Amino acid sequence: PAFEPERRRPLRLRLKFSPAMRRNSPCSCPPPQAMLKGATPNSTGLRVVATLEFAKGLLALLTGLIIVVLSNRPDSGWAEYLVELLHLNPAHELPRLFLELAAGLTSERAFWLAVLAVGYAIVRWVEAYGLWGSRRWAEWLAVVSGVLYVPLEIYELSRPGHRWPTAIALTLNVAVVAYLAWAVSRRRRMVPAG
């Protein structure tokens, strides 16, 4: 007869922590399962915020590209054409302000606005990448960058004019900052200091 090696079943170690064992344990930290369970915030929420940040970066990059392309056109009526294309009333505050800024836009200013737009987009995309991967540094970056906008949005809300877009932006920003602050504090409570 042929020799067959003995088949062994893999060793499975199951740790069960009873309340009495936890009370009598010299270690005051929770068992490993409790530390891992819930140690990271809801990844779906972080991914929603990451998608929002990615979209903001994309919008900034497209805006910078449009400014550069349109500022290099030989005719200077591109701003009026854009206002007309979007069916905006040039007598209202925002389209009028846009037309005034476009009238004073030089190629050099357009270049620097595009550089700022690219820089802003890169920061937003790095933040989105970190949030998508549930990185702690990205959560902190998102909280800090979100809090920086709140005073500006409150100031804009106090000025007369278009209040509902600013109110929506402020509400969304406060909700995102509150969620991310909760995620950061939850992670700090769940993972013991090492």
Side-chain angles (χ1 to χ4, degrees), residues 2-175:
F3 175 75
E4 285 189 35
E6 182 181 327
R7 293 186 186 207
R8 295 185 184 182
R9 290 169 50 208
L11 179 65
R12 292 186 183 186
L13 182 63
R14 291 188 179 217
L15 299 175
K16 293 184 179 179
F17 293 94
S18 68
M21 288 174 66
R22 280 192 218 129
R23 281 193 301 269
N24 296 331
S25 170
C27 176
S28 62
C29 60
Q33 294 91 343
M35 288 192 309
L36 295 177
K37 182 180 177 186
T40 58
N42 183 357
S43 63
T44 304
L46 289 178
R47 288 185 174 186
V48 167
V49 176
T51 304
L52 180 68
E53 296 301 324
F54 181 82
K56 285 166 50 177
L58 188 62
L59 182 65
L61 189 64
L62 288 175
T63 303
L65 182 66
I66 288 170
I67 287 172
V68 167
V69 167
L70 292 179
S71 69
N72 289 326
R73 289 186 60 163
D75 61 335
S76 60
W78 63 268
E80 291 87 4
Y81 172 75
L82 191 60
V83 168
E84 185 179 311
L85 180 71
L86 296 174
H87 301 290
L88 299 174
N89 184 354
H92 284 115
E93 181 183 2
L94 288 179
R96 183 181 46 79
L97 181 64
F98 172 72
L99 290 172
E100 289 173 5
L101 289 174
L105 188 64
T106 63
S107 293
E108 184 180 354
R109 283 185 183 169
F111 170 78
W112 288 112
L113 283 173
V115 167
L116 285 173
V118 168
Y120 181 83
I122 288 171
V123 169
R124 291 293 158 211
W125 289 343
V126 166
E127 183 179 332
Y129 169 79
L131 288 172
W132 193 269
S134 299
R135 305 288 200 284
R136 185 181 292 184
W137 58 264
E139 294 170 8
W140 278 106
L141 177 63
V143 168
V144 170
S145 67
V147 166
L148 290 176
Y149 287 114
V150 172
L152 298 172
E153 291 166 347
I154 290 173
Y155 171 74
E156 283 296 317
L157 200 58
S158 69
R159 294 178 56 205
H162 303 283
R163 291 187 180 201
W164 67 266
T166 306
I168 291 172
L170 178 63
T171 304
L172 185 64
N173 193 19
V174 168

